[in-house]
Amino acid sequence: MRVLFALLLCMALPAMADEHLRLYQAAGWPQQREHFNQALDAAQLRYRSTLPPAVYQALVDNSNQRFAAAAIDRRAQHNLRMELANPQPALAFFQSALGRKIVAAEVLATRSDQLARYANGLPRTEADATRRLLIRHLAQALPAKQAGAEVSLALAGVAADSLSQMIPGLLGGGQAQSLLNGQRERLMAQIEQDLDNTLLHVYRELSDPELEQFVEFAQSADGQAYYKAALSSLRAGLAVGMSSSELEPPPQGI
């Protein structure tokens, strides 16, 4: 009986792992990671003419190590597996016609041409009371402001890490984590101010019934489980709050 149980368990584990990977792909994580790396490359070019050569090179070396595509995927996928016990409901949602439409809208919003187009701010989106109410519910259900803050903190963390390497002890004694937490709160407050308009813009192609279905999933227990795991996996993938010395790859075989 024990041998049979072990055999069935070994047969089930690859299938479970594959469902997490399929969810990772269906929800648009690889495309979003690619867009993040493209934005990082652009930021590096901007800093090249404003930073001393030694500081610039340290920044580039640290960011390339921390944000290597394979490393981000490995950390994020590993964390998603650890944090989301049952990926099936979220996988089913993102593989549906509506889920694919939502992912396409999110991926479009982070494309380099779209970021450049709206670099000075998004246009104000007109919407009736019903649609604004749906968007408000969505804003409360999605960890959008938290995710935006984590991306900003990940980029800021590279600069802090680079300075700490060049000037040992500069941000020691828990000072770095204290600064990180304070900045996170400020960033979320800033994002919250225009969050509804941002979501109105990102999901502008969704009809009201589609938006209502999205809200229902985001508010459901399965949706909340996914988005909680997704936020944690985003932080893990971007190694927010970790120094270069702490960047250890998770176990292989994910």
Side-chain angles (χ1 to χ4, degrees), residues 186-202:
R186 289 192 295 272
L187 286 168
M188 287 194 295
Q190 292 173 5
I191 295 171
E192 175 66 32
Q193 292 177 5
D194 202 42
L195 182 56
D196 285 16
N197 187 65
T198 299
L199 297 182
L200 280 168
H201 175 80
V202 172

Side-chain angles (χ1 to χ4, degrees), residues 30 35 43 50 57 76 86 102 165 169 193 201 216 234 245:
H35 290 175
T50 60
Q57 192 57 52
N86 181 14
I102 289 167
Q165 288 184 10
Q193 292 177 5
H201 175 80
E216 289 175 356
L234 175 65
S245 62

Side-chain angles (χ1 to χ4, degrees), residues 88-135:
Q88 292 178 347
L91 177 60
F93 178 78
F94 286 113
Q95 286 182 332
S96 69
L98 175 58
R100 291 194 298 270
K101 189 172 182 178
I102 289 167
V103 171
E106 294 169 347
V107 170
L108 172 64
T110 58
R111 254 177 27 191
S112 57
D113 62 324
Q114 296 297 300
L115 295 179
R117 180 178 181 181
Y118 300 113
N120 295 322
L122 293 172
R124 306 307 300 178
T125 300
E126 297 298 327
D128 60 24
T130 298
R131 191 167 183 85
R132 288 195 173 278
L133 182 60
L134 288 171
I135 284 292

Side-chain angles (χ1 to χ4, degrees), residues 24-46:
Y24 190 81
Q25 295 168 338
W29 286 73
Q31 297 96 318
Q32 295 290 14
R33 187 259 303 143
E34 181 180 353
H35 290 175
F36 174 83
N37 285 125
Q38 290 171 354
L40 179 65
D41 291 341
Q44 288 179 351
L45 288 177
R46 290 196 298 271

